[in-house]
Amino acid sequence: MDEALRYPLRGEHGEKALLVAWLCVFVHAVAIPFLALVPLAGYLVSVFAAAPDPDPPSALERGVLSRGVGATGLGIAYLAAPLLAAGVTFRLLLETERAPTGGDAVVVLAGSTAVLFALAVAGYLLPIGIGNYARTGSIRAGFGGLGDAAGNAAYFVGWCSGAILFLLGVALSSALVEMGGLALVVGSLVGAYATLVATRRIARGYVAAVE
């Protein structure tokens, strides 16, 4: 864990890469939602590809943007259905005029649990797809060969710890960004740093599982 926390500041490219990630998150927050994160997604693919190395790769190398488009496509493919189902489920709950009771409550609870489980599974498999894409350069590889890594203890531990770091970091980042002003700038940095640390942690687990 300590290795991942120090990762964004190590090596020749660490601080520049963190600056690029920070800029992507900041622009996402203030001007161009989501689209500004595509270059960051491409750099995260580079982090997976360079996972055996101790230092971060360059964020300015050619191909980062194209890898970002590929990673974005993988993310949409893996998460679109669970997110759509989650959105529909919560919208129905909000539009219901009365609180569900009896059998209705059981159905709602079961449906919500199933949606959250599907979202968690998709989130668990997506980094494996990203790792396969990073290793081969093939989008198709991002949808295959998931089983070996998914069932590996090293990947499971790496993913769990990385997911916790990411969720905590994003929660803090979002709270700061909502405050605006200087807090928005700091919040963008927190979000970028947490994303790089979490990606490093998960990527190391992925490499341990496939090599």
Side-chain angles (χ1 to χ4, degrees):
M1 184 73 73
D2 182 62
E3 187 272 345
L5 290 173
R6 291 183 285 109
Y7 177 76
L9 299 177
R10 287 205 307 263
E12 177 184 359
H13 305 295
E15 293 180 356
K16 293 179 182 178
L18 178 58
L19 179 60
V20 170
W22 184 6
L23 180 62
C24 289
V25 176
F26 180 77
V27 174
H28 158 74
V30 301
I32 313 175
F34 301 108
L35 188 61
L37 297 178
V38 172
L40 176 57
Y43 182 67
L44 299 184
V45 175
S46 297
V47 171
F48 265 88
D53 301 329
D55 299 332
S58 172
L60 302 177
E61 61 184 8
R62 295 178 59 184
V64 168
L65 187 58
S66 62
R67 286 195 293 271
V69 173
T72 301
L74 283 173
I76 292 173
Y78 273 91
L79 299 174
L83 286 175
L84 180 60
V88 171
T89 300
F90 287 118
R91 181 176 179 180
L92 290 175
L93 287 176
L94 292 174
E95 291 181 349
T96 301
E97 296 181 357
R98 62 178 179 82
T101 58
D104 291 340
V106 173
V107 172
V108 169
L109 178 61
S112 301
T113 301
V115 168
L116 292 176
F117 178 76
L119 186 59
V121 170
Y124 184 75
L125 296 178
L126 174 58
I128 302 176
I130 295 293
N132 292 346
Y133 171 51
R135 294 177 70 197
T136 65
S138 169
I139 292 290
R140 181 176 296 181
F143 297 100
L146 306 177
D148 292 340
N152 187 280
Y155 176 73
F156 177 76
V157 172
W159 182 85
C160 288
S161 56
I164 291 172
L165 289 170
F166 178 74
L167 292 174
L168 290 176
V170 167
L172 177 58
S173 174
S174 298
L176 291 171
V177 167
E178 286 296 323
M179 294 171 63
L182 180 60
L184 187 153
V185 178
V186 176
S188 300
L189 175 60
V190 170
Y193 195 91
T195 299
L196 294 179
V197 169
T199 301
R200 172 64 173 180
R201 191 73 186 94
I202 296 173
R204 291 293 294 170
Y206 167 81
V207 168
V210 300
E211 293 186 350

